Amino acid sequence: MTEVGPDEGHPVLLLHPWWGVTPAVLEWADALAAAGRRVVVPDLYGGRVVDTIAEAEALAEGLDHGTALAELGVIADGLSGRGLPWAAMGFSLGAFFAARLAGRGAAGPDELVLFYGGWSPGGGVERTGRVELHRVPDDPYFTEDEVAETVEGFRRAGVEPEVHVYEGAGHWFAERGAPGFDGDAHALARSRVIGRLGG
């Protein structure tokens, strides 16, 4: 697990996409750290990083979601125990896990930032009061049905997600080096996220 940023900074739990902890993920971690946040980056793949869709799909399919959620729950408990507001942020696969953490009641994050992924939080949403969803139209990896389930799931829990749609961009637009990276959309998303989460 990687941690960057000032010890006193409000924590951000940053969850990687199906490629693993890529340089793009660490770039986001450094940007958040430079803005004053303490960034915690777990590695659900034990150090493996891939760069093809086929390899990433295989890694994601081989991941035990129950075990991963349990491991992230332990980290979330530690962050909640610091007594500071904290956020969970994830990309694609990581956004799915981040959304699920909101259903942990008082041990959930105060804020969520979800990039082209998510799901209904399940459980009791007690602590999470703000959800940002960054998505693209007609996304084959985060379908309109999945978007609707994510948005409606949080609405049922009493939280109205703030949805940002990036017209003309595709999945992975916010990850430098990934297929579909879009410099303009990335810059806009980064300004929004840092503007919100910057300490």
Side-chain angles (χ1 to χ4, degrees):
M1 185 162 60
T2 300
E3 292 197 38
V4 295
D7 290 339
E8 70 278 8
H10 290 194
V12 176
L13 179 61
L14 184 58
L15 303 180
H16 65 75
W18 68 352
W19 319 105
V21 181
T22 61
V25 173
L26 297 177
E27 178 187 344
W28 273 98
D30 287 341
L32 289 162
R37 302 301 291 252
R38 180 69 175 176
V39 188
V40 178
V41 188
D43 188 343
L44 298 176
Y45 290 162
R48 292 196 65 187
V49 179
V50 298
D51 57 12
T52 71
I53 291 175
E55 290 173 311
E57 199 165 34
L59 274 181
E61 288 178 355
L63 185 64
D64 184 293
H65 284 194
T67 299
L69 278 169
E71 293 173 355
L72 294 175
V74 172
I75 298 171
D77 288 340
L79 296 179
S80 297
R82 295 186 188 185
L84 295 171
W86 67 280
M89 174 175 165
F91 299 92
S92 201
L93 174 70
F96 167 81
F97 287 120
R100 298 295 291 176
L101 289 176
R104 303 185 73 247
D110 295 87
E111 297 185 69
L112 284 179
V113 179
L114 309 175
F115 273 91
Y116 32 81
W119 197 242
S120 175
V125 177
E126 179 180 331
R127 183 168 177 164
T128 306
R130 181 181 175 89
V131 177
E132 279 190 12
L133 176 60
H134 300 260
R135 56 162 300 221
V136 299
D138 304 316
D139 188 340
Y141 294 98
F142 187 42
T143 66
E144 294 302 316
D145 285 346
E146 290 169 333
V147 171
E149 177 60 29
T150 301
V151 171
E152 290 304 318
F154 279 101
R155 283 176 177 164
R156 289 192 298 269
V159 183
E160 180 65 36
E162 180 179 341
V163 181
H164 300 287
V165 181
Y166 296 80
E167 299 288 346
H171 202 81
W172 306 306
F173 74 82
E175 299 166 52
R176 195 182 307 278
F181 173 73
D182 184 306
D184 290 339
H186 171 267
L188 177 57
R190 179 165 161 163
S191 70
R192 285 170 167 163
V193 171
I194 298 301
R196 177 64 192 174
L197 295 184

